[in-house]
Amino acid sequence: YVLSFLLAPVGYVIQDVVADAMTVEAVPIVDEEGNPQDPATLKLMHTTMQTLGRVAIIGGGVIVAALNIYMFSGVSALSAAQKAEIYTDIYLMALFIPVVSVLGVILGMVSVRRRAANLRREGLSEEEVRAAVYAQEDGEMKPNWVILGGSLAFVAFTIAIGLANVPFAKEVIFVGSMAIIVFLMTKLLAALTPEGRRMLVGTAIIIWVYRAMPTPGPGQTWWFIDKLGFDQEFLSVLSLISSGLTLAGMFIFRRFMAEKSIAYIVGFLTVTFTVIGLPILGMFYGLHEWTARMTGGIINAHFIAVADTAIESPLQQIAMIPMLAWIANNAPTHLKATFFAVMASFTNLALSASQLGTKYLNLIFTVTREVKDRTTGAVKVPEDYSELGWLMIAAMWIALLLPLLTIVIVQRTRLRTTQ
């Protein structure tokens, strides 16, 4: 459990670096006539490319959701053991994902070598080839031992604590990882102008707080399954709808992301998601029963869940893209990938903070699912959803107030985000 807590943000970091950092080279810094791109056009192009990078990630989610729908077809009639076998098969299939990643790296290496070979045939010198293909003006690649050493310390620390089974391991991992990542950030930020440094720090803080908000946790999903009758097949359908509409939303809101400041975007998303979450909260208090009676059973729990997902999904990926585009547009050429890795690590540690917040909320508001002894059938843990409503309300208020308060504070300081 501790290792899964540890590796979740690492997985997101790998996705972010592969899908986002490599897209930087696809944006031309000059137009067809050789003139430098104007800043507004360049920013829009970087936003578009980062959007496409996220499309690759969400596209994988669409494939997974479609596979789950197929695998979980008719799951309501299966026993617990049969459901476990399906989960096992899905995890085995997931082992193919690293193979695809490795093939992508190999393909990228071949492509770069072919491009360099073509330039050599055109008569360019070795120094010119390095500058054109590898963005190396001095002709020599030098490792940054501070960044590499810090990254090694980050990996060693998290694995050691995760395997040591120490008390409060998740909290220790989070604090230690945050300290290391902040140290690496301070080293990288020295390469930016003072204005760029302040803007990136302000942007990172706002996004970190936004992503660190706690959720109701698995208790809400248990309630969906046990009380609303949402089986794994229906939840997979919701996941497919969510991923598909998220793809559409990233294109629909592309210009919105390019033209608005990150403070405006996060504030908009914070308020919007709070409003969108109200129907789910309402169903705990019987909203779906009332709407079903008023509409002859049409607007029931399943209808509300699908409609809520359809409205929410297009907005899910909007917060991260502007920051990634800012890094692509403003980070030094030779440090862009490193900036992506460190900033992705920082913002994705917010997911660990979210898990911790969810853990502590669930200690305050207790939600339990019925657990029976497999041999005797006796109830070992009784079902209790009585405090789920308060849990959902608390999570909703925290997720509304803290990001808005952070935006107000940041925008009143020198860290103000204006782009």
Side-chain angles (χ1 to χ4, degrees), residues 181-191 197 342:
I181 294 300
V182 169
F183 168 76
L184 296 178
M185 286 178 60
T186 59
K187 296 300 181 181
L188 284 178
L189 291 175
R197 202 156 43 233
V342 174

Side-chain angles (χ1 to χ4, degrees), residues 2 161 165-174 356 359-360 363:
V2 172
I161 298 298
N165 196 28
V166 300
F168 300 102
K170 292 194 293 184
E171 288 81 356
V172 173
I173 290 174
F174 172 74
L356 288 175
K359 166 188 170 182
Y360 290 118
L363 292 177

Side-chain angles (χ1 to χ4, degrees), residues 24 27 29 37-47 50 192 322-333 336 340 419:
V24 175
V27 176
I29 60 176
Q37 301 279 8
D38 67 271
T41 301
L42 197 60
K43 180 183 178 183
L44 179 60
M45 295 171 70
H46 275 298
T47 301
Q50 297 312 314
L192 298 177
M323 190 189 76
L324 298 173
W326 191 96
I327 295 174
N329 195 33
N330 295 278
T333 302
K336 288 187 187 294
F340 273 116
Q419 296 183 8

Side-chain angles (χ1 to χ4, degrees), residues 23-24 27-30 36-52 199 203 253-265 318 320-330 336 417-419:
T23 61
V24 175
V27 176
I29 60 176
V30 297
Q37 301 279 8
D38 67 271
T41 301
L42 197 60
K43 180 183 178 183
L44 179 60
M45 295 171 70
H46 275 298
T47 301
T48 301
M49 289 308 305
Q50 297 312 314
T51 300
L52 294 175
M199 185 176 298
T203 298
F253 290 98
R254 179 178 63 90
R255 187 166 292 276
F256 171 78
M257 292 183 288
E259 296 177 352
K260 299 297 183 181
S261 71
I262 192 65
Y264 182 95
I265 292 172
I318 291 179
M320 280 297 293
I321 292 176
M323 190 189 76
L324 298 173
W326 191 96
I327 295 174
N329 195 33
N330 295 278
K336 288 187 187 294
T417 61
T418 57
Q419 296 183 8

Side-chain angles (χ1 to χ4, degrees), residues 1-10 169-171 173-174 351-353 355-356:
Y1 183 73
V2 172
L3 283 177
S4 66
F5 171 86
L6 158 64
L7 294 176
V10 174
K170 292 194 293 184
E171 288 81 356
I173 290 174
F174 172 74
L351 302 179
S352 298
Q355 293 181 21
L356 288 175

Side-chain angles (χ1 to χ4, degrees), residues 30-197:
V30 297
D31 58 23
E32 295 179 355
E33 299 177 355
N35 300 316
Q37 301 279 8
D38 67 271
T41 301
L42 197 60
K43 180 183 178 183
L44 179 60
M45 295 171 70
H46 275 298
T47 301
T48 301
M49 289 308 305
Q50 297 312 314
T51 300
L52 294 175
R54 310 308 288 186
V55 166
I57 296 175
I58 302 303
V62 172
I63 296 174
V64 171
L67 177 64
N68 282 341
I69 292 175
Y70 171 76
M71 296 295 292
F72 285 118
S73 178
V75 70
S76 58
L78 300 180
S79 65
Q82 290 172 318
K83 293 178 183 178
E85 290 180 4
I86 294 177
Y87 279 113
T88 301
D89 292 339
I90 290 176
Y91 281 117
L92 288 174
M93 292 178 187
L95 295 177
F96 183 68
I97 296 174
V99 177
V100 175
S101 299
V102 172
L103 290 176
V105 173
I106 295 174
L107 180 62
M109 293 173 59
V110 172
S111 177
V112 169
R113 291 179 183 275
R114 289 182 59 185
R115 181 182 175 192
N118 290 336
L119 292 175
R120 292 188 186 100
R121 283 194 292 268
E122 293 292 330
L124 273 69
S125 67
E126 199 63 31
E127 290 75 15
E128 291 172 322
V129 170
R130 288 195 181 98
V133 178
Y134 304 106
Q136 291 176 240
E137 298 181 359
D138 59 0
E140 182 181 357
M141 181 179 294
K142 300 178 181 179
N144 187 324
W145 293 112
V146 173
I147 298 298
L148 291 176
S151 300
L152 180 61
F154 171 68
V155 173
F157 169 78
T158 49
I159 292 179
I161 298 298
L163 296 176
N165 196 28
V166 300
F168 300 102
K170 292 194 293 184
E171 288 81 356
V172 173
I173 290 174
F174 172 74
V175 174
S177 300
M178 180 63 74
I180 295 172
I181 294 300
V182 169
F183 168 76
L184 296 178
M185 286 178 60
T186 59
K187 296 300 181 181
L188 284 178
L189 291 175
L192 298 177
T193 63
E195 181 183 0
R197 202 156 43 233

Side-chain angles (χ1 to χ4, degrees), residues 119-408:
L119 292 175
R120 292 188 186 100
R121 283 194 292 268
E122 293 292 330
L124 273 69
S125 67
E126 199 63 31
E127 290 75 15
E128 291 172 322
V129 170
R130 288 195 181 98
V133 178
Y134 304 106
Q136 291 176 240
E137 298 181 359
D138 59 0
E140 182 181 357
M141 181 179 294
K142 300 178 181 179
N144 187 324
W145 293 112
V146 173
I147 298 298
L148 291 176
S151 300
L152 180 61
F154 171 68
V155 173
F157 169 78
T158 49
I159 292 179
I161 298 298
L163 296 176
N165 196 28
V166 300
F168 300 102
K170 292 194 293 184
E171 288 81 356
V172 173
I173 290 174
F174 172 74
V175 174
S177 300
M178 180 63 74
I180 295 172
I181 294 300
V182 169
F183 168 76
L184 296 178
M185 286 178 60
T186 59
K187 296 300 181 181
L188 284 178
L189 291 175
L192 298 177
T193 63
E195 181 183 0
R197 202 156 43 233
R198 291 192 295 269
M199 185 176 298
L200 183 57
V201 170
T203 298
I205 291 174
I206 290 175
I207 292 180
W208 193 92
V209 173
Y210 173 75
R211 290 165 66 91
M213 293 302 95
T215 67
Q220 181 172 283
T221 304
W222 299 340
W223 175 69
F224 284 160
I225 296 172
D226 296 341
K227 298 301 181 182
L228 298 185
F230 294 178
D231 58 20
Q232 287 89 340
E233 182 178 5
F234 180 72
L235 292 176
S236 298
V237 171
L238 287 182
S239 178
L240 180 60
I241 294 173
S242 175
S243 299
L245 292 178
T246 298
L247 288 176
M250 286 189 291
F251 289 103
I252 294 172
F253 290 98
R254 179 178 63 90
R255 187 166 292 276
F256 171 78
M257 292 183 288
E259 296 177 352
K260 299 297 183 181
S261 71
I262 192 65
Y264 182 95
I265 292 172
V266 170
F268 169 79
L269 293 176
T270 297
V271 175
T272 301
F273 281 131
T274 300
V275 174
I276 292 174
L278 291 175
I280 301 298
L281 175 62
M283 284 199 294
F284 181 80
Y285 295 101
L287 173 65
H288 58 294
E289 298 172 354
W290 178 79
T291 55
R293 287 197 304 268
M294 298 297 293
T295 61
I298 296 176
I299 305 180
N300 56 12
H302 288 70
F303 182 96
I304 293 175
V306 170
D308 194 74
T309 299
I311 296 172
E312 175 184 358
S313 299
L315 303 172
Q316 287 183 347
Q317 286 289 326
I318 291 179
M320 280 297 293
I321 292 176
M323 190 189 76
L324 298 173
W326 191 96
I327 295 174
N329 195 33
N330 295 278
T333 302
H334 64 292
L335 289 175
K336 288 187 187 294
T338 307
F339 262 89
F340 273 116
V342 174
M343 295 306 298
S345 299
F346 175 73
T347 54
N348 284 308
L349 275 176
L351 302 179
S352 298
S354 175
Q355 293 181 21
L356 288 175
T358 300
K359 166 188 170 182
Y360 290 118
L361 269 184
N362 278 266
L363 292 177
I364 298 173
F365 304 102
T366 303
V367 177
T368 58
R369 191 182 192 187
E370 182 179 276
V371 178
K372 293 183 178 180
D373 186 278
R374 291 186 178 183
T375 304
T376 64
V379 176
K380 298 174 61 177
V381 179
E383 174 188 285
D384 184 5
Y385 292 115
S386 60
E387 296 187 8
L388 178 60
W390 289 109
L391 174 61
M392 296 166 67
I393 291 172
M396 182 176 293
W397 273 111
I398 293 173
L400 173 66
L401 297 179
L402 285 186
L404 294 181
L405 180 61
T406 301
I407 292 171
V408 171

